[in-house]
Each structure stands twice: as structure tokens, then as C-alpha cells.
Amino acid sequence: MPLNDAVKDILAGTTGGVAQVLVGQPFDIVKVRVQTAPHGTYSGILDCVSHILRDEGPLAFYKGTTMPLIGVGACVSIQFGVVQWSKRLFASMNAKQSPTQQITPLQQYTAGLLGGVANSWVAGPVEHVRIRMQTQKGHDIRGPFDCVRQIVQKAGVTGVFRGMGPTLLREGHGMGVYFLTYEYIVQQRLKALGISRDQVPISTSMMAGGLSGILLWIMIYPIDVVKSYMQTDAIEPRKRQFRSSLDVVRYINASYGLKGYVRGIEPTLLRAPFVNAATFVAFELAMQKLSLL
């Protein structure tokens, strides 16, 4: 029995999500450590890397990977699934007005925004657990499920969703920009090559994915910094330094100024082209294979 479009979108999105985690996890742990470490802990990115290697060993770069492999697969499948569904909806609406009407840039952005907002409700808790795992120096948290247990025990179920405000803003706006940029680059290349959408070359997916990933992080990085502070604060509410995202903003402004919003951006920008190229290549290849089923 042929697979329907929604199932194909989910399977292809999951494939892209797994690729994203495996390529991006070492970069991500360095980003989070540099973002949230007390001032003076690391002299730079390479110093952070050397500390991790010396103190915790090379496997530390994959701390907290279990939850992302489970969760990011789900996140990206939701994200791509909602984006693809939204694009089909907009295409159907446009076809009623004109058979040749293409999806507009605003519609592309909106599709990405909807995908990002839908994805946030899974991404927020998954990233919260991952960040707790990445930033612990000892072994107080024995695994992702133990992390969830501790959060619920000390802060209730709502504690798992800490940092959802910046997560929704980051994912909504970020994914709008991300998918708009990717699709624009792909469409320009398809016109230049004179081929159809299902024939997109791997090189085009790599280039478009890499560039859209870089632009994504330039646009949303300050929001991500705020989210990281929220999710590395004390688990127990009475011990927390920050009551809200606004408290984090005040703290960063007072302690570091504007530079505080770009701490750790170097590994993120270095990571972006590789991770997002891998994500879109995996997604496009999976879609091409699934289209045959």
C-alpha cells in the first residue's frame, strides 16, 4: 500500500533529525558550556574543548545524546511534517486563484513558523534535559530519564517545560527564516539547472542547508542564550537565580553587556553549515526514496 504524504514527511524528517544529532552534538555541548559558564572559566572555544578532553574524555562530547536521538528525531519529524503540510495547504489555496501561482515568501515563512511552534513543545523539554546532562561535571544525573525524574520531583511537571517562552520565540521565528531561506536558494538553483523539485542535487541541498543554518543562528542566537540560562538554573524553584527570561536579560546586560548575547557563537556558526547540510541532505534523499513507495 503506498505511503501517504504525511507518513513520508514524518519518516524523512526523522531521518534528517538523526543526522542532525550525530553531526551536531559535539558542537552543541561546547556551545552550551561556553554560553553558561561563569566568567573566566574558559579563555575561548579551544580552551573549553581542551578542558572537556582533559577532564572528562572524548566521550563527553556525546553526553546527553540518548534523549536528543529520541527527541530530535521526533522534533524534526514534527517540524518538517507541519511545514510540508502547510506548504501543501498554501499551494492548494493558491491554485484556486491561479493554477500557476507559487507559494509566496510570506507563506514559506509562515509554514516554517508553524512548524517551529509545533516543534517547540517537544524541543523545549528535550533540550532542557540535554542541557542538564551536558553541563553537569559529575554523575548526579545518571541518564535522561533520571534527569526527567529529578526535575519532576523537585519542580513538578511544569519544571520540564522551563524556558518555553524563549523556546517558542526562537523556534517560531527561527524556523520561519530557516525554511524561507532554504526554499529560496533551492528554487533559484532549480531554475538555473532547469530541473524539477524532486530532482534536487545533493550539492544544492548541502549549500542551501548550510547557508540557511548560518542565517538561522545569526537571527536567533541571543534568544538561545537566554533559554540556556533558564534551563541551567537550579532545578528547585526556591534556589533559582532567575524567575523569568526578563531576569536573565537583566543579568546578562549587567554582567556582560551586549557581548553576553553572543557568548559561544563561534562553535554554533561553525556547527551550523555541517549540521544543517546533513539535515537537509538526509531529508531530501529520504523523500526521494520514499516517493518511490
Side-chain angles (χ1 to χ4, degrees):
M1 188 174 94
L3 297 176
N4 64 36
D5 290 336
V7 173
K8 292 177 183 178
D9 294 341
I10 290 170
L11 291 174
T14 301
T15 304
V18 170
Q20 185 178 109
V21 172
L22 293 178
V23 174
Q25 188 74 352
F27 294 97
D28 195 65
I29 190 170
V30 174
K31 178 201 76 170
V32 171
R33 292 279 182 95
V34 174
Q35 276 182 344
T36 60
H39 186 65
T41 303
Y42 306 116
S43 61
I45 302 305
L46 293 179
D47 185 44
C48 178
V49 171
S50 67
H51 270 74
I52 294 171
L53 284 172
R54 186 185 67 221
D55 301 336
E56 302 168 67
L59 291 180
F61 289 103
Y62 279 91
K63 272 186 174 181
T65 302
T66 303
M67 183 63 82
L69 275 175
I70 298 169
V72 173
C75 289
V76 179
S77 66
I78 291 169
Q79 189 181 95
F80 276 85
V82 172
V83 168
Q84 294 296 104
W85 175 84
S86 300
K87 285 166 64 175
R88 284 194 290 271
L89 177 64
F90 289 135
S92 176
M93 291 167 54
N94 293 347
K96 293 177 182 178
Q97 299 177 5
S98 170
T100 59
Q101 171 100 18
Q102 298 293 315
I103 296 176
T104 68
L106 179 58
Q107 289 173 333
Q108 291 281 6
Y109 174 85
T110 303
L113 184 148
L114 293 172
V117 169
N119 164 60
S120 295
W121 298 100
V122 178
V126 167
E127 290 193 13
H128 186 186
V129 171
R130 177 171 66 181
I131 284 175
R132 295 280 179 197
M133 296 286 294
Q134 287 175 333
T135 53
Q136 73 162 342
K137 297 297 178 65
H139 300 282
D140 293 337
I141 301 173
R142 294 185 295 276
F145 299 105
D146 181 53
C147 184
V148 172
R149 182 190 63 78
Q150 290 192 38
I151 293 171
V152 171
Q153 186 180 66
K154 296 175 182 178
V157 175
T158 58
V160 178
F161 292 91
R162 183 159 171 79
M164 277 304 295
T167 299
L168 284 164
L169 181 58
R170 185 196 70 174
E171 291 295 304
H173 176 58
M175 291 302 108
V177 171
Y178 185 56
F179 283 98
L180 172 61
T181 304
Y182 178 80
E183 201 59 35
Y184 174 79
I185 295 171
V186 167
Q187 291 300 331
Q188 293 303 308
R189 287 296 297 156
L190 294 181
K191 286 179 184 177
L193 297 172
I195 57 177
S196 62
R197 186 67 175 74
D198 59 355
Q199 296 174 307
V200 60
I202 291 176
S203 58
T204 296
S205 296
M206 290 180 67
M207 177 182 68
L211 291 174
S212 60
I214 292 171
L215 181 59
L216 163 72
W217 280 106
I218 290 173
M219 296 290 289
I220 67 168
Y221 194 80
I223 306 170
D224 188 68
V225 172
V226 173
K227 182 191 74 70
S228 292
Y229 271 99
M230 292 286 288
Q231 294 181 335
T232 54
D233 202 0
I235 294 177
E236 293 183 56
R238 62 187 177 85
K239 295 181 180 179
R240 286 175 185 164
Q241 182 179 359
F242 310 113
R243 291 172 297 176
S244 67
S245 297
L246 188 58
D247 280 347
V248 176
V249 170
R250 291 193 187 105
Y251 171 80
I252 294 172
N253 288 340
S255 303
Y256 306 106
L258 294 178
K259 290 182 180 179
Y261 294 101
V262 293
R263 293 178 76 197
I265 197 171
E266 298 93 338
T268 303
L269 293 181
L270 180 63
R271 164 188 184 270
F274 298 103
V275 169
N276 293 288
T279 301
F280 274 107
V281 167
F283 174 78
E284 296 284 2
L285 287 175
M287 285 295 284
Q288 289 176 13
K289 297 296 183 183
L290 290 167
S291 68
L292 302 175
L293 299 178

